[in-house]
Amino acid sequence: MTGPADTGTTALAEALRTHPAVLDAVVLDAPEPTAFLVPDPDAAALLHRSVRAGAGGEGDRTDWHEPADDLRVAGVNRTETDFLYREIFLDNAYLRHGITVPERATVVDVGANIGMFTLRAGLVSPGARIIAVEPVAELAAAVARNAELYGLDVTVVKSALGSAAGETDFTYYPGNSVMSGRYARPDEDIDVLRRYLVTGDGGHEPQLARLAADRLAAQPRRCAVSTLTRLAAEQRVDRIDLLKIDVEKAEADVLAGIDDALWDRIDRIAMEVHDIDGRLFEVVRLLEARGFEVFHDQDPRLVLTPCHNVYARAPRARAGHPPPASSFGPGGPTLRVLERELRDLLARSAPGLAAPGRFVVVPELAAARRATGARDTGAPRPADGPGATVLAEAWAEVFGAGTARPDANFYALGGNSLTAVRLLTLLEDRLGADVLEPDLLFTAESFAELAAALDAGLRAAGATDGTASASRSGAS
């Protein structure tokens, strides 16, 4: 027998199927009403190809993120994906001071991370050959997935580059992978990250310190090291139109691995330099001695850190094109755009029915039902305890009245690292310190999941300290 709820979800699914980008759809309780969508391979090629891509293989712990309306990428955490998009696509961090990319260029992306600059180079130079060098398996897997999704000619090299071939210890920060490296020092790097955060907000010092420490939980690794000269020989690279280097304090080692013959075949360099012990001056002097015209600047958000950008162009470099303003893709909407369109469609065609809280793309509907079962057994349910009450108040202060809904998403509302600090400060002022792991502000999918985690943290604290639990409950 079909009940009213079943009738409603059926009507919603029927309405969703009328959108040209939706091949099929079902609305399920998982545990909140969720629309599972099978993207049309033609009208929604980007989404179709991403859900069909599957896992990237061993070491792949990536997920799909959408930092802009026209870009969908595989990344390891959304905070960094948003940061890299802003730095590389919006601020053009590596394409300034005359650094352009010619047609069908050869680009070497050293320290590729998830491949955001690799994608940018593919947009600037259609048909480019790109060699992406990234020693961390999780990040290299993201580069491969992104190159496949956008149909780019990318060779992923899972190695570090240095002055000599061999192996090295490597520190990986899963919560802040852009600071990972062979010279990473957690005690020093925490201070650098804290200074970066302080640049945007001088207050909330205890929470800033905790957030920095949480994002820099370190994992030791061991990785292979090659040289750029050896890499160029192995990949049969005759000329490097653009060499991009961002290797967190190992930039001098990468330059030391270039022999005289290869120096004469590099036309442009864009790199991050950590000005430690006069390194910025030494790098500029080296590049000028090699015949490059050199410029350098510093992002205003990094003025309290040693990080600078250096740009070098050889007189022999062939003409390139300035970076276009927009992104690119196989065609069709991203999920964030499609969700907006579908909500508008439901408001018009099914005005008496509440729209689903979430929209998820899947390769086929059987996958949706499997995912629903998995979430029903493990996903936290919306909470209504004292922690949830305080979270709702703090959430409204940060994001505005009416935003504390169970399905509300931290990122969709514009959340970032400094927003997280503000929210954490409000929670700790009212509930006490250490009631919530800072990283949960970035990993929880919704307000409901964050509220459930907060209530669970309060219950755990109460189990070991009844007095503290009672005082915190009273604060709500």
Side-chain angles (χ1 to χ4, degrees), residues 46 66-72 85 327-328 332-338 340:
L46 176 63
E66 294 182 352
D69 279 356
D70 54 357
L71 190 67
R72 183 173 175 87
Y85 171 77
S327 293
F328 64 113
T334 55
L335 181 57
R336 63 195 285 180
V337 170
L338 180 58
R340 288 201 300 264

Side-chain angles (χ1 to χ4, degrees), residues 424-447:
L424 187 62
T425 300
L426 291 170
L427 293 174
E428 293 192 344
D429 284 347
R430 299 172 190 186
L431 297 173
D434 302 324
V435 295
L436 186 72
E437 291 294 329
D439 200 49
L440 284 172
L441 293 168
F442 301 103
T443 58
E445 290 189 10
S446 65
F447 174 92

Side-chain angles (χ1 to χ4, degrees), residues 368-454:
R369 294 185 172 89
R370 289 194 298 270
T372 303
R375 285 180 58 83
D376 280 341
T377 58
R381 302 278 177 170
D384 57 2
T389 301
V390 173
L391 176 61
E393 296 171 354
W395 191 279
E397 287 188 38
V398 172
F399 294 115
T403 59
R405 305 182 309 273
D407 64 321
N409 184 283
F410 178 82
Y411 291 103
L413 293 171
N416 54 35
S417 294
L418 291 177
T419 309
V421 169
R422 288 184 59 206
L423 189 58
L424 187 62
T425 300
L426 291 170
L427 293 174
E428 293 192 344
D429 284 347
R430 299 172 190 186
L431 297 173
D434 302 324
V435 295
L436 186 72
E437 291 294 329
D439 200 49
L440 284 172
L441 293 168
F442 301 103
T443 58
E445 290 189 10
S446 65
F447 174 92
E449 293 189 23
L450 190 59
L454 186 56

Side-chain angles (χ1 to χ4, degrees), residues 58 61 260 308 387 389 424 450 470:
E58 183 179 358
R61 297 179 179 85
D260 290 340
H308 296 256
T389 301
L424 187 62
L450 190 59

Side-chain angles (χ1 to χ4, degrees), residues 60-134:
D60 183 6
R61 297 179 179 85
T62 60
D63 198 2
W64 293 109
H65 303 146
E66 294 182 352
D69 279 356
D70 54 357
L71 190 67
R72 183 173 175 87
V73 296
V76 294
N77 67 70
R78 185 165 172 174
T79 305
E80 284 194 285
T81 301
D82 289 343
F83 168 80
L84 290 168
Y85 171 77
R86 182 180 69 246
E87 177 186 52
I88 293 170
F89 277 76
L90 299 184
D91 297 343
N92 285 319
Y94 301 108
L95 299 177
R96 299 176 184 162
H97 298 291
I99 300 299
T100 56
V101 190
E103 294 182 359
R104 305 188 68 82
T106 297
V107 178
V108 180
D109 184 357
V110 184
N113 199 271
I114 64 172
M116 198 68 85
F117 181 73
T118 289
L119 291 179
R120 188 62 164 151
L123 168 62
V124 175
S125 178
R129 180 193 179 195
I130 306 170
I131 300 169
V133 184
E134 176 51 59

